[in-house]
Amino acid sequence: MMHLNTLLAQATTAGQPAASAAGATGTPPASQGSPFGLLFPMALIFIVMYFLMIRPQSQQRKRQAEMLKTLKSGDKVATASGIVGVVITVKDNTVSLRSADAKMEVTKSSVTEILESSAATEAKPS
């Protein structure tokens, strides 16, 4: 009993010289594409990833750093852990907050949002 692959290989190599018939396995030779053929899709994937992931994250970091630079005493802020308080003092790496009857010191990087600026509360007429 001959296998179907053997029959197909013999049928396709019947008209070829013996040297090529001996090396035939029934599969076509792998085509060698240009190495630059993959360059365009890879570049396209990188560009899409940059605009969807990397760029927005770097812009968020810049906004966070700018917000922390403008942080001053009297601002009402929210921290990453959900604590809402009023800034008492601002140091190099930490911020002292007063929340209800508690006074705490948190890292500057944990302040995620300025809810109310002290300049805005001073500008309100009484």
Side-chain angles (χ1 to χ4, degrees):
M1 289 193 166
M2 295 185 89
H3 291 283
L4 184 60
N5 289 338
T6 309
L7 288 173
L8 289 174
Q10 289 174 353
T12 57
T13 59
Q16 295 177 359
S20 64
T25 61
T27 59
S31 61
Q32 293 293 326
S34 170
F36 297 109
L38 290 177
L39 188 62
F40 179 71
M42 293 294 281
L44 186 64
I45 289 171
F46 179 75
I47 290 169
V48 168
M49 189 169 52
Y50 173 78
F51 280 106
L52 291 179
M53 296 173 66
I54 299 169
R55 187 169 181 257
Q57 188 177 13
S58 66
Q59 288 178 337
Q60 175 70 22
R61 251 181 287 158
K62 286 179 186 176
R63 284 193 299 267
Q64 178 78 7
E66 186 63 34
M67 187 260 313
L68 292 177
K69 285 180 187 176
T70 63
L71 194 62
K72 57 190 170 295
S73 180
D75 289 348
K76 186 174 183 179
V77 297
T79 65
S81 60
I83 298 171
V84 176
V86 178
V87 176
I88 300 170
T89 59
V90 179
K91 298 179 185 173
D92 289 336
N93 295 322
T94 60
V95 176
S96 294
L97 298 177
R98 179 161 308 278
S99 179
D101 291 332
K103 179 182 174 189
M104 62 198 80
E105 192 166 349
V106 297
T107 60
K108 259 188 172 180
S109 61
S110 68
V111 176
T112 57
E113 181 180 7
I114 298 177
L115 301 173
E116 197 174 298
S117 180
S118 63
T121 57
E122 291 172 3
K124 288 183 182 177
S126 298

